[in-house]
Amino acid sequence: MLCSAFNDRMKRSPLKRKTPLKRTGRKLRPVSKKRAKQNKLYSELRKVYLEENPACEVCGKGATQIHHKRGRIHDRLNDTAFFMAVCFECHHWIHHNPQIAYAKDYLVKQ
C-alpha cells in the first residue's frame, strides 16, 4: 500500500541524451558470414534431398519441405541424417503435436 502511494506521487521525466549517438555508416549483416555459407549449402542439400525423396515421409503426398528432426541449431542445419521430407500439412502437424511426433520418431531429443 505504501509503495503504490509513493509511486503515484513520484513523477519521472524521460531520459535525454546530451550528445546524439554516432552513426558509423556501416550496416549490420542480417546473418553472419559463417551462417550465410551454411544457408547456401543447405539450399543445395535441400534441393537434392527433395529430388531423391519426392514423397512425404508421413502421409505419402508430394513433399515440399524439409523437417529437421533434431532442430537446425549450429551444424545441425546441414546434417542430412536427421532430414525428413514432408508436406506442409504434416510439417505443421509434427510441430503442433510434439508428444505424438516424439513417439513416432518424427522428432528426436537433442
Side-chain angles (χ1 to χ4, degrees):
M1 184 72 176
L2 182 63
C3 292
S4 64
F6 179 73
N7 287 337
D8 290 340
R9 285 185 277 146
M10 285 291 296
K11 298 208 179 204
R12 295 183 181 200
S13 60
L15 295 176
K16 294 182 181 177
R17 294 190 65 83
K18 292 182 181 181
T19 58
L21 293 173
K22 293 181 183 177
R23 302 274 180 204
T24 61
R26 194 183 86 188
K27 292 184 178 180
L28 295 176
R29 286 188 171 90
V31 293
S32 68
K33 288 180 181 180
K34 181 179 177 183
R35 190 59 172 194
K37 283 183 185 179
Q38 288 177 338
N39 288 343
K40 186 176 179 180
L41 177 61
Y42 171 69
S43 66
E44 294 168 6
L45 290 172
R46 178 185 178 280
K47 183 179 176 183
V48 169
Y49 192 84
L50 287 174
E51 285 173 359
E52 292 173 356
N53 302 286
C56 176
E57 296 179 33
V58 178
C59 70
K61 290 191 232 174
T64 57
Q65 299 180 352
I66 297 291
H67 169 63
H68 295 79
K69 292 180 182 183
R70 288 188 69 203
R72 300 177 304 174
I73 299 171
H74 304 297
D75 293 332
R76 294 181 193 161
L77 177 69
N78 296 324
D79 188 359
T80 57
F82 295 101
F83 276 11
M84 189 173 172
V86 292
C87 63
F88 173 79
E89 292 83 12
C90 292
H91 203 183
H92 181 71
W93 180 87
I94 288 169
H95 287 287
H96 285 83
N97 299 288
Q99 291 179 338
I100 300 169
Y102 278 116
K104 294 186 175 193
D105 290 328
Y106 299 153
L107 288 172
V108 178
K109 295 281 184 188
Q110 298 176 7

